[in-house]
Structures are given as C-alpha cells and as structure tokens.
Amino acid sequence: MKQLNISIKHNLVIGLLIGLWLFIFAFIIKPFDDGTINFRAWFLISFGFSVMAFLCYSLLTLIQKSFYGRIGKWNISLEIIAIFLFHILYLIGVFAFYKSPILNGGYTFSEFFSIIFIKVALILTPVIILARRYLIKFIPVKDDVLIIKGENKLDILKIQKADLVCVSNAQNYVEIFYTENGKLTSKLLRTSLKNMQKDFSFLMQIHRSHLINPSHFKSWRNQNTIVLTQIELPVSKNYKETLLAL
C-alpha cells in the first residue's frame, strides 16, 4: 500500500460507516453478551462503542494527515502503525466509556481487554483494512500539467507534461519545444537550463545546451544525433551513456 487518501471528508465518511456498522453488528449479534446485560445497557454499549470508534478514527485521520504532510509518502509499515494506533486510541476511549457513570462497568482493564476489547478488535480490523483500501480509489488523479515560469511576470507557459519535447539553451533564454495540435511549437522564456532541470527533474540532459523529455525519444540518427518527436538534437559524449540506457 503505497498511497494514502488524506481527504478529511472521505475519512470521516468511512469513520461514520465504521461506527454505524459496529453499532448494527454489536446490537444484533451481541458478541460478548453473557446473558446478564439488559436491553438498555446493551443499547448504551453498542451506541457508545460505535460513537467512540467514529471519534477515534476521526482523530487518526487528523494525525495521519499531519504525518503524511511531513514525509509525503506511505507504505505497508506505516499503514500497520496507523491501524495499531487506532486500536490504542479506541481501547483507551471505550474503556473510559465502560468505566464512566453511564455503564459503570465492573471489569478491570486486563479483564476488559481480554474479554471484550479483543473481540471488538477482531471484528473491526478487517473492516478498517478494507475500507482504507477502498478509499484509495477516491484519491484525485492529478493532471500532468506543467506550469513553466520565466524571470519576467509574463513569461509563463502551461502545457501537458506529455506535450513537452525538449528544452534548448538560447543565450539568456531557453527555447521550449512542445507539441500543440500535433505540430511542434516553441516558446522563449527568460530562464536557464539549470533552473529547468531543477524544477522538472524528469528532464534528461543530453548536451550542455539541451534537455529532453525521455518519452519523446524515437531513435538514433547516428552516433552523435538522436531523433525526437519532429526534431533532432546533438548528443554529447558525457551524456551518451545515460541516453543509451533508455
């Protein structure tokens, strides 16, 4: 799992559905009913446990969003930690509710954990895993749009990443070659190749004066020249090995 949906709205909906599902399941199935719990008490248990699940998942949503914002990545290990953190928060929350004047439960913490919480955790964990995996489908697809800016305020070019063919040095400017309606077009912007490579790391340098978008590489014309989409460019010896790896 290399992605994480950090949308507060999406996660709160999932938290609400988890809470609702837990209430229905607990109230109907009564997974830890020993026959001594009356209707009112069981309703309060089911309702309180489901509300606490929603609140704890909401808190997890805020924590993971903040953490993801700092590191900018996600993986299986972090996913396991997130689910484990939810269970810790949930354990604290539901035990506090269980011991509150509303229920005034008689189990100690260890008894509550072994008799009640483990069963709840076993019920919740698969649902949470599936729900979080489903959330990935709602991650907005980012348009691969490049916004290229020069030193002057009016120096700006907005194009699709797939349309950018190459960038060539032109003294104090760079000439950006891109396709538009199937035809090769170019625009001069006051900036440098160094800045272009810094801002758009996917560009590959093939010459001190040229950067290319590797997706537009077609073939070698000869040992020192390559063919791109509707344009040919020279290749320096210093960059030839990198280009040969394409």
Side-chain angles (χ1 to χ4, degrees):
M1 185 172 181
K2 297 182 180 180
Q3 291 180 294
L4 176 69
N5 189 333
I6 58 174
S7 167
I8 299 293
K9 178 182 177 181
H10 291 165
N11 278 278
L12 289 181
V13 170
I14 290 297
L16 184 63
L17 293 175
I18 288 173
L20 180 61
W21 179 88
L22 181 62
F23 173 80
I24 294 172
F25 183 87
F27 191 70
I28 295 176
I29 304 300
K30 301 180 180 179
F32 44 85
D33 185 9
D34 59 1
T36 63
I37 304 175
N38 59 38
F39 178 85
R40 178 181 178 276
W42 193 257
F43 177 83
L44 290 174
I45 290 173
S46 302
F47 181 76
F49 277 39
S50 63
V51 169
M52 196 57 65
F54 170 74
L55 293 177
C56 291
Y57 194 84
S58 299
L59 180 57
L60 174 67
T61 297
L62 298 176
I63 293 172
Q64 70 183 12
K65 181 179 177 67
S66 175
F67 186 75
Y68 185 81
R70 294 179 182 178
I71 65 173
K73 61 180 181 179
W74 201 252
N75 54 42
I76 292 293
S77 298
L78 292 173
E79 182 67 10
I80 292 172
I81 292 172
I83 295 174
F84 183 70
L85 177 59
F86 166 79
H87 283 309
I88 291 176
L89 295 172
Y90 190 52
L91 173 59
I92 296 171
V94 293
F95 184 70
F97 173 72
Y98 175 76
K99 283 296 198 179
S100 70
I102 299 175
L103 294 180
N104 196 26
Y107 286 141
T108 63
F109 181 80
S110 59
E111 290 173 334
F112 177 85
F113 179 80
S114 61
I115 297 173
I116 296 178
F117 185 77
I118 288 179
K119 293 179 181 178
V120 176
L122 290 174
I123 294 168
L124 273 180
T125 301
V127 176
I128 294 173
I129 292 173
L130 291 174
R132 288 171 66 84
R133 288 183 65 86
Y134 183 72
L135 268 186
I136 294 175
K137 296 181 179 181
F138 294 92
I139 298 176
V141 178
K142 295 182 179 178
D143 294 329
D144 286 331
V145 176
L146 304 179
I147 300 177
I148 307 171
K149 297 180 180 180
E151 295 177 6
N152 300 325
K153 292 183 179 180
L154 299 180
D155 279 351
I156 187 168
L157 176 64
K158 186 176 180 180
I159 57 173
Q160 293 287 331
K161 178 181 177 180
D163 292 337
L164 177 60
V165 178
C166 61
V167 182
S168 298
N169 186 44
Q171 295 183 351
N172 294 327
Y173 294 80
V174 295
E175 188 169 11
I176 300 169
F177 293 88
Y178 60 98
T179 57
E180 187 173 40
N181 298 322
K183 295 182 179 180
L184 189 66
T185 309
S186 69
K187 180 177 177 62
L188 286 172
L189 294 180
R190 189 177 180 85
T191 186
S192 65
L193 283 184
K194 184 177 180 180
N195 288 337
M196 287 292 300
Q197 198 167 29
K198 179 181 177 181
D199 293 340
F200 307 103
S201 58
F202 69 91
L203 292 174
M204 176 183 292
Q205 188 155 17
I206 62 165
H207 188 277
R208 66 176 183 175
S209 300
H210 304 291
L211 303 173
I212 68 166
N213 182 348
S215 64
H216 281 276
F217 173 79
K218 300 298 182 184
S219 64
W220 287 84
R221 172 67 65 194
N222 53 53
Q223 292 186 351
N224 301 310
T225 307
I226 60 170
V227 179
L228 303 176
T229 302
Q230 301 181 38
I231 192 173
E232 296 181 7
L233 292 176
V235 179
S236 297
K237 292 182 180 179
N238 295 338
Y239 304 103
K240 192 173 183 179
E241 289 300 323
T242 304
L243 193 56
L244 285 171
L246 287 178

